[in-house]
């Protein structure tokens, strides 16, 4: 079993719809959770971070964390064609020598069609 | 420069050849990371430097992989006797501190071993 699991997709949604991306992780001591967006041929770009249970909203993006269920999700409201990319879920202990040792899922390909 | 700079951007190596990949982090960033991203997969952690100290090299896949950051700024990832399975994008990332900061990725060095 992979440490961080994502549905590879592709996930296709119409423009203006809500895109829902899901991620589960296996290590219960994980403390920090991130969503990165990666356009084809480009580097990962951080779009959301979340550290405690509940929802965190930033513009059109909402991250949701449920540590009991070991589940993280990302909702994109009013999806735009420019949101079409691979979305990577990452987790880390985020402390000491484990800082920056992100464990990534394989990514979910999102396509927003006009 | 404004971001993490990596060179070369693209490298084709013959099997058995040694390669060196360079990373120039954002000026003043203390933490530096190397990740390997195979096609269609999420990045996988290779190693972490705090200034010139290599604090974690647990992700290096074999003793053919070696990384250094002798003066605490520029880093080099060296791969000896390259093999086809080494073909991947090698991502360098940096962060200003040692915990809780955003990690910024470079564009990557695309290595193809033929």
């Amino acid at each position: 079993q992979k440490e961080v699991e994502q549905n590879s997709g592709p996930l296709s949604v119409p423009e203006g719809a809500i895109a829902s991306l899901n991620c589960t992780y296996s290590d219960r001591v994980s403390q920090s959770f991130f969503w990165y967006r990666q356009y084809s041929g480009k580097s990962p770009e951080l779009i959301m971070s979340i550290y405690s249970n509940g929802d965190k909203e930033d513009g059109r993006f909402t991250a949701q964390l449920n540590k009991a269920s070991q589940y993280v999700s990302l909702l994109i409201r009013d999806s735009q064609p420019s949101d079409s990319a691979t979305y990577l879920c990452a987790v880390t202990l985020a402390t000491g020598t484990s800082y920056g040792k992100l464990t990534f899922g394989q990514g979910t390909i999102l396509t927003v069609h006009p | 420069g404004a971001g993490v700079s990596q060179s070369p951007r693209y490298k084709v190596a013959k099997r058995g050849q040694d390669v060196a990949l360079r990373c120039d982090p954002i000026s003043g960033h203390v933490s530096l990371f190397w990740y390997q991203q195979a096609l269609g997969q999420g990045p996988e952690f290779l190693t972490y430097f705090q200034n010139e100290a290599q604090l974690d090299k647990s992700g290096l896949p074999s003793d053919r992989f070696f990384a250094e950051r002798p003066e605490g700024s520029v880093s080099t990832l060296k791969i000896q006797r390259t093999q086809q399975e080494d073909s991947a994008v090698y991502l360098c990332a940096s962060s200003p501190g040692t915990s809780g900061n955003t990690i910024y990725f470079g564009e990557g060095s695309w290595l193809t071993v033929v």
Side-chain angles (χ1 to χ4, degrees), chain B residues 19-37:
Chain B
V19 299
L21 308 176
R22 175 188 167 105
C23 173
D24 208 333
I26 296 172
S27 179
H29 277 199
V30 169
S31 296
L32 184 145
F33 315 88
W34 284 99
Y35 283 80
Q36 179 191 57
Q37 186 173 22

Side-chain angles (χ1 to χ4, degrees), chain A residues 2 6 8 32 34 36 38 40-46 49 51 86 88 92 94-107 109, chain B residues 9-10 31 33 35 37 40-45 48 50 55-56 58-59 91 95-108 110:
Chain A
K2 291 193 65 155
Q6 294 180 254
S8 61
S32 302
F34 306 91
Y36 283 81
Q38 187 173 31
S40 181
K42 299 296 186 181
S43 59
E45 173 192 11
L46 180 67
S49 58
Y51 307 101
T86 297
L88 297 161
T92 185
T95 59
T97 58
S98 295
Y99 169 61
K101 188 175 181 178
L102 300 169
T103 301
F104 284 88
Q106 69 179 72
I109 299 170
Chain B
R9 289 294 321 280
Y10 304 94
S31 296
F33 315 88
Y35 283 80
Q37 186 173 22
Q41 301 297 315
E44 292 195 0
F45 172 84
Y48 164 47
Q50 189 178 112
L55 298 188
D56 188 340
S58 62
L91 294 165
S95 178
T98 57
S99 67
N101 301 114
T102 297
I103 296 169
Y104 299 90
F105 282 86
E107 295 279 300
W110 294 62

Side-chain angles (χ1 to χ4, degrees), chain A residues 10-110:
Chain A
L11 173 65
S12 181
V13 300
E15 184 174 356
I18 295 175
S20 178
L21 304 161
N22 304 314
C23 171
T24 58
Y25 61 94
S26 60
D27 191 344
R28 285 194 170 274
V29 300
S30 298
Q31 295 182 353
S32 302
F33 307 86
F34 306 91
W35 283 99
Y36 283 81
R37 177 176 62 200
Q38 187 173 31
Y39 293 113
S40 181
K42 299 296 186 181
S43 59
E45 173 192 11
L46 180 67
I47 53 172
M48 289 288 287
S49 58
I50 187 165
Y51 307 101
S52 55
N53 282 327
D55 295 359
K56 179 181 178 182
E57 186 174 318
D58 184 1
R60 295 186 297 111
F61 299 98
T62 299
Q64 299 173 318
L65 174 61
N66 184 326
K67 289 188 177 181
S69 300
Q70 294 175 246
Y71 176 88
V72 192
S73 66
L74 179 71
L75 300 177
I76 306 175
R77 289 181 299 282
D78 189 24
S79 296
Q80 301 297 309
S82 59
D83 295 326
S84 298
T86 297
Y87 289 80
L88 297 161
C89 172
V91 306
T92 185
L93 292 176
T95 59
T97 58
S98 295
Y99 169 61
K101 188 175 181 178
L102 300 169
T103 301
F104 284 88
Q106 69 179 72
T108 298
I109 299 170
L110 172 66

